[in-house]
Amino acid sequence: MAATFPSLPALNFVKSSGFLRKRCVSSWSSRHLTVLCSSGNVGESDQSQLQNKQRGALSSLKECAISMALTVGLITGIPTIDSAPSAYAVEPAIPDVSVLISGPPIKDPGALLRYALPIDNKAIREVQKPLEDITDSLKIAGVKALDSVERNVRQASRLLKQGKNMIVAGFAESKKDHGSELIDKLEAGMDELQQIVEERNRDAVAPKQKELLQYVGGIEEDMVDGFPYEVPEEYQNLPLLKGRATVDMKVKVKDNPNLEECVFRIVLDGYNAPVTSGNFLDLVERHFYDGMEIQRADGFVVQTGDPEGPADGFIDPSTEKTRTVPLEIMAVGEKVPFYGSTLEELGLYKAQTRLPFNAFGTMAMAREEFENNSASSQVFWLLKESELTPSNANILDGRYAVFGYVTQNEDYLADLKVGDVIESIHVVSGLENLVNPSYKISG
């Protein structure tokens, strides 16, 4: 039986008051962040054409792979909803089949953040890879996994020794001492991990791996020498995060005897989304989100940020107007983000986003359905991981601004429900990277 493509949920701005019945798009409001690739209503003729295309896809390996990827990705990745005259079908940009079969996407938020740093140092990347591969090694049952882990550790140790001079040469001048300290800790940690493997202590491997990768991430951050580019002039007066920041979001969970409250650690990436993450961090410092309820939790995303009253976003008291930020997407190979346009609108169908929707807990901005530059305060966390639809072959990459990842307790996002309360969000580190903080302006 031929698979059918389900209608997709609207994902635009939400209103916390009665938003489930405001529009006939499977009961979602017209102000949800809409997963939209092309405009136009889905009618019977469109469905017929789509089915013809699916049948024709069997004529080549490329088209067959695309059909399989889209069918499985859409069916398993997004809940099916009732179609309606105002619902829109998604026609994702399709990469070459070589992209589809090039390997599984990176789904670990820590790894995504490491690879997103604006550095070009082959030596440290070579050390990073086998340490990350330990995760796959541990999927082997029993202590047999330790043989594979041992190979990973020995490879990483050898590469660190061979590339140490190149790694040290890559440090920013002001960060060389700190970076060198981290290298020493990394070397010592690898020796400790080797000892853990020799003692056949499987349970101790993952915690030590996490520690070593934190050292690697710190070494790579010490290679970044200042902020690498200029934000376009029209956005330079907005709050900007020129670097990274970490925040903890404490959520009070209702009606769940197994989880009363949870703290989610979130890393904001200002290197790749300075305007978007700066806007969010500025609102955090204003305590904008403190006491706000979770306003959408449907198994696809968790969303919040819609204030009480008629406004859809943050009203800046200094201007008495809604503060909006542009759509901001950094593509791999680019030195500056694209502003105001989706990658599809730019014709960059094969471009890879630097911050992809690969990880469970990917954090991004909600916006108006047909207005790219309408994001303000509403944010969402994705509850799905990319499998057959890798980075930029799914329906979100290049269309919505990712600006961070939940790096601790992300699995608990799936337990959140509408009505659960964000007790607080506070900055753990990186506040010094916030430029033009409007929260310091009185009023």
Side-chain angles (χ1 to χ4, degrees):
M1 180 177 178
T4 58
F5 291 88
S7 299
L8 299 175
L11 291 173
N12 210 24
F13 286 171
V14 301
K15 291 305 299 179
S16 58
S17 175
F19 72 90
L20 291 178
R21 298 293 178 186
K22 283 199 171 182
R23 184 185 174 192
C24 188
V25 182
S26 82
S27 299
W28 295 112
S29 163
S30 63
R31 293 186 175 279
H32 288 194
L33 164 149
T34 299
V35 182
L36 181 66
C37 177
S38 63
S39 61
N41 294 337
V42 178
E44 293 182 359
S45 61
D46 296 303
Q47 294 174 352
S48 176
Q49 291 175 6
L50 181 58
Q51 290 172 354
N52 290 335
K53 289 180 181 179
Q54 289 174 314
R55 287 192 292 269
L58 298 176
S59 63
S60 70
L61 173 62
K62 175 179 177 180
E63 292 177 346
C64 182
I66 292 170
S67 178
M68 291 174 60
L70 289 177
T71 301
V72 177
L74 289 175
I75 291 176
T76 61
I78 299 174
T80 303
I81 62 174
D82 297 331
S83 61
S86 53
Y88 291 93
V90 171
E91 298 175 4
I94 305 301
D96 285 339
V97 67
S98 59
V99 176
L100 289 174
I101 63 177
S102 61
I106 298 172
K107 298 188 291 184
D108 177 68
L112 290 169
L113 287 164
R114 286 188 289 273
Y115 284 114
L117 285 167
I119 65 170
D120 183 19
N121 190 288
K122 183 179 179 182
I124 190 61
R125 294 299 196 198
E126 288 180 340
V127 174
Q128 176 181 334
K129 182 63 168 59
L131 290 177
E132 290 175 344
D133 287 345
I134 290 174
T135 300
D136 289 331
S137 296
L138 289 175
K139 294 178 181 178
I140 302 173
V143 294
K144 290 184 178 180
L146 296 176
D147 295 334
S148 183
V149 172
E150 185 172 18
R151 289 192 292 271
N152 297 140
V153 177
R154 287 180 176 177
Q155 181 184 10
S157 297
R158 181 178 68 254
L159 291 169
L160 179 59
K161 182 177 180 179
Q162 294 173 348
K164 187 173 182 178
N165 290 338
M166 183 182 296
I167 293 171
V168 172
F171 288 135
E173 190 65 34
S174 62
K175 303 177 182 179
K176 280 189 175 181
D177 290 343
H178 183 258
S180 297
E181 290 177 9
L182 290 179
I183 290 180
D184 293 340
K185 290 181 179 180
L186 180 59
E187 289 176 326
M190 286 185 181
D191 292 339
E192 292 168 0
L193 182 53
Q194 180 64 36
Q195 184 66 30
I196 288 171
V197 172
E198 292 174 359
E199 294 174 355
R200 315 304 282 177
N201 185 357
R202 179 187 169 115
D203 292 341
V205 172
K208 179 57 69 172
Q209 176 207 22
K210 182 177 181 180
E211 176 187 324
L212 298 184
L213 286 172
Q214 287 175 340
Y215 293 147
V216 170
I219 289 169
E220 292 173 346
E221 289 198 45
D222 285 343
M223 293 178 175
V224 182
D225 189 9
F227 193 70
Y229 56 88
E230 287 293 328
V231 173
E233 185 176 358
E234 59 263 44
Y235 309 125
Q236 288 182 2
N237 291 328
L238 291 171
L240 305 174
L241 183 61
K242 292 191 171 183
R244 285 184 173 168
T246 301
V247 301
D248 279 351
M249 180 175 72
K250 184 178 181 181
V251 179
K252 180 68 174 178
V253 181
K254 299 179 179 179
D255 302 325
N256 188 338
N258 299 318
L259 186 68
E260 292 186 0
E261 65 180 28
C262 189
V263 177
F264 300 93
R265 176 149 293 185
I266 305 168
V267 176
L268 311 176
D269 188 352
Y271 289 122
N272 295 288
V275 178
T276 310
S277 54
N279 173 71
F280 177 79
L281 192 61
D282 186 73
L283 294 177
V284 166
E285 284 299 287
R286 285 178 172 273
H287 304 284
F288 177 85
Y289 298 98
D290 293 1
M292 186 172 287
E293 292 185 350
I294 299 298
Q295 296 154 358
R296 179 181 181 183
D298 54 14
F300 179 47
V301 298
V302 169
Q303 187 166 333
T304 192
D306 177 23
E308 293 183 2
D312 294 315
F314 167 65
I315 303 297
D316 190 334
S318 65
T319 63
E320 297 184 350
K321 296 180 180 179
T322 301
R323 184 172 78 195
T324 59
V325 294
L327 178 63
E328 181 178 45
I329 298 172
M330 177 72 87
V332 174
E334 300 292 333
K335 294 183 178 180
V336 180
F338 291 106
Y339 289 92
S341 299
T342 67
L343 294 187
E344 182 183 31
E345 290 168 345
L346 294 169
L348 302 175
Y349 301 107
K350 297 182 182 181
Q352 301 288 302
T353 53
R354 184 69 71 178
L355 300 175
F357 279 95
N358 281 1
F360 192 100
T362 300
M363 186 176 187
M365 292 298 297
R367 59 175 174 82
E368 287 278 6
E369 183 173 330
F370 301 111
E371 178 50 59
N372 293 340
N373 297 338
S374 60
S376 180
S377 61
Q378 295 194 42
V379 299
F380 68 96
W381 295 269
L382 187 68
L383 301 185
K384 298 294 179 183
E385 295 173 339
S386 181
E387 289 291 352
L388 286 181
T389 50
S391 176
N392 308 292
N394 59 48
I395 56 177
L396 293 176
D397 282 315
R399 297 179 180 88
Y400 295 96
V402 175
F403 63 102
Y405 297 97
V406 180
T407 59
Q408 290 182 19
N409 292 326
E410 61 269 25
D411 290 344
Y412 290 108
L413 284 168
D415 293 315
L416 299 185
K417 304 178 300 301
V418 173
D420 290 342
V421 178
I422 299 173
E423 292 188 338
S424 65
I425 305 180
H426 75 272
V427 180
V428 176
S429 64
L431 186 59
E432 69 278 4
N433 294 325
L434 182 63
V435 179
N436 306 327
S438 74
Y439 70 89
K440 290 188 175 181
I441 300 174
S442 61

